Each structure stands twice: as C-alpha cells, then as structure tokens.
Amino acid sequence: MDNSSTLRNALMLTPLIGVTHSLMAAVGLCLMFLVVTQLFGLAMGALRSRLVPATRMLASILLAATLTSCAELMAQAWSLQWQQHLGIYGALIALQCVVLEHTGVFQSDWRQRLRLNSLFATLMITLGLLRELIGNGTLGNHLSWLFGATQTDWHGWVLVADGGLRLTTLVPGGFILLGLLIAAWQAWRPTPTH
C-alpha cells in the first residue's frame, strides 16, 4: 500500500464512522458521494486535457466545492431533516474528490473506480445497517426522510422494544464494529499459499 492509497483510505474512514450511526444517514451519504464523485470525474475528464498541470489542483478544488455545495443545497431542499442529520460529512465529499483526483483514481480504469465505489458503498450500508440494528434495535428509522417525506411518526421497524446497545451508535462503537468486521473478513478469506 502506497502513501496515496493510505491517504485516500484514511479520508474515507471519517464519513464511514461518522455517518453510519443509522441506515438512513449511511444510504443518504452514499448516494450523495456516488453522484458527486461521478459528476466530478466526468467534469475533470473533460477539463484535464485543457488545463496546465499547475492549475489542475485549483480547478479540482473549485469544481469539487461547487458540486458538493450544489448537492448540499439540493439535499436541503429535498429533505431538511436528512441534510441536517448528515452534519459536516456531506461537505467532506469535496475533499475526497480532490484527493481522488490527486492520487489518479479518475485517470485509472473504470473497473477500478467501480470497485472502489462499490466497496465504499457496501461498507457504508453494511455498517449503517449493523449499527442501527445493534445500537437502536430498529431497522429503517427515519428512512422516509430520504424520499422527501416530512412525516415523522414512522420510526422504522422496531425489533427490540427497549432499544439496543447504545455504544454501537457512537463513534467508538463504530470503530469497534469496523474492527470486528475486518477481523471477520480476515478470518473468512482464505490465506494464499505460496
């Protein structure tokens, strides 16, 4: 693993732990991330050959901030509750776009980008689902906010009447659960024989 992939993965860890306290927040940020990064990749692909190398970073910062701000405004217009629930993590998509551009992800093969996006989306949704199930004892709490519904009387499916393990919805619980998932993946994955 080189330094660029370490930086890229470390920046993905912030929204992965910060937003996955509920399935609604995880799915919402995942959708916003996929839309913004794909639009950013298309726009930078069209601009990259027309820019001198010294101005590429500035152009990518400006483009990423613009696209992320537009996505934030559209999310706020669509569902204010959902957008407020995301907090600062939606704005971090701009930083992620700049890092992905700087490390050359958008110049790489489309299969590698699809693999990276799929892995990030799968991990976000899995962590969101598990943290909500274990932490709150619910499934789909406030998921209607993603569809622009303003009714707040539906709180998903309550699976455990007295709630769950509250630690799981907090940041330390997210790190613990992620560590357990990585350990399970390492144990499940067959070891290569040389």
Side-chain angles (χ1 to χ4, degrees):
M1 186 182 311
D2 60 352
N3 287 339
S4 64
S5 66
T6 303
L7 175 64
R8 182 177 61 230
N9 295 340
L11 285 175
M12 286 185 164
L13 184 64
T14 304
L16 187 66
I17 298 299
V19 174
T20 57
H21 53 84
S22 70
L23 179 62
M24 177 271 307
V27 170
L29 186 75
C30 186
L31 290 173
M32 187 185 282
F33 175 81
L34 292 175
V35 167
V36 170
T37 55
Q38 295 309 309
L39 289 174
F40 178 84
L42 289 171
M44 277 307 290
L47 290 174
R48 197 174 296 115
S49 63
R50 293 175 174 85
L51 295 171
V52 254
T55 61
R56 281 188 192 152
M57 180 65 78
L58 183 60
S60 68
I61 291 170
L62 185 62
L63 180 63
T66 301
L67 289 173
T68 304
S69 296
C70 289
E72 286 274 342
L73 288 173
M74 289 182 357
Q76 189 175 12
W78 180 259
S79 175
L80 182 61
Q81 300 95 336
W82 168 65
Q83 192 270 339
Q84 288 176 338
H85 206 68
L86 287 181
I88 64 163
Y89 298 105
L92 289 176
I93 296 173
L95 179 62
Q96 190 64 42
C97 287
V98 172
V99 169
L100 290 173
E101 174 66 25
H102 182 68
T103 57
V105 170
F106 292 112
Q107 292 95 356
S108 65
D109 185 34
W110 65 271
R111 288 182 208 93
Q112 183 182 0
R113 288 191 311 253
L114 180 65
R115 183 181 158 275
L116 181 67
N117 285 338
S118 300
L119 180 65
F120 183 66
T122 302
L123 200 50
M124 283 278 290
I125 293 170
T126 301
L127 265 177
L129 178 71
L130 288 174
R131 286 177 74 183
E132 184 175 335
L133 278 172
I134 297 169
N136 295 331
T138 60
L139 181 61
N141 192 11
H142 301 298
L143 204 54
S144 61
W145 288 352
L146 282 178
F147 306 113
T150 56
Q151 67 181 28
T152 58
D153 56 347
W154 189 73
H155 295 287
W157 295 282
V158 178
L159 305 174
V160 180
D162 60 347
L165 182 61
R166 176 86 172 119
L167 172 68
T168 312
T169 61
L170 302 174
V171 172
F175 276 113
I176 292 168
L177 187 59
L178 182 62
L180 290 173
L181 287 174
I182 291 172
W185 172 257
Q186 292 293 329
W188 178 71
R189 195 176 67 176
T191 57
T193 57
H194 297 289

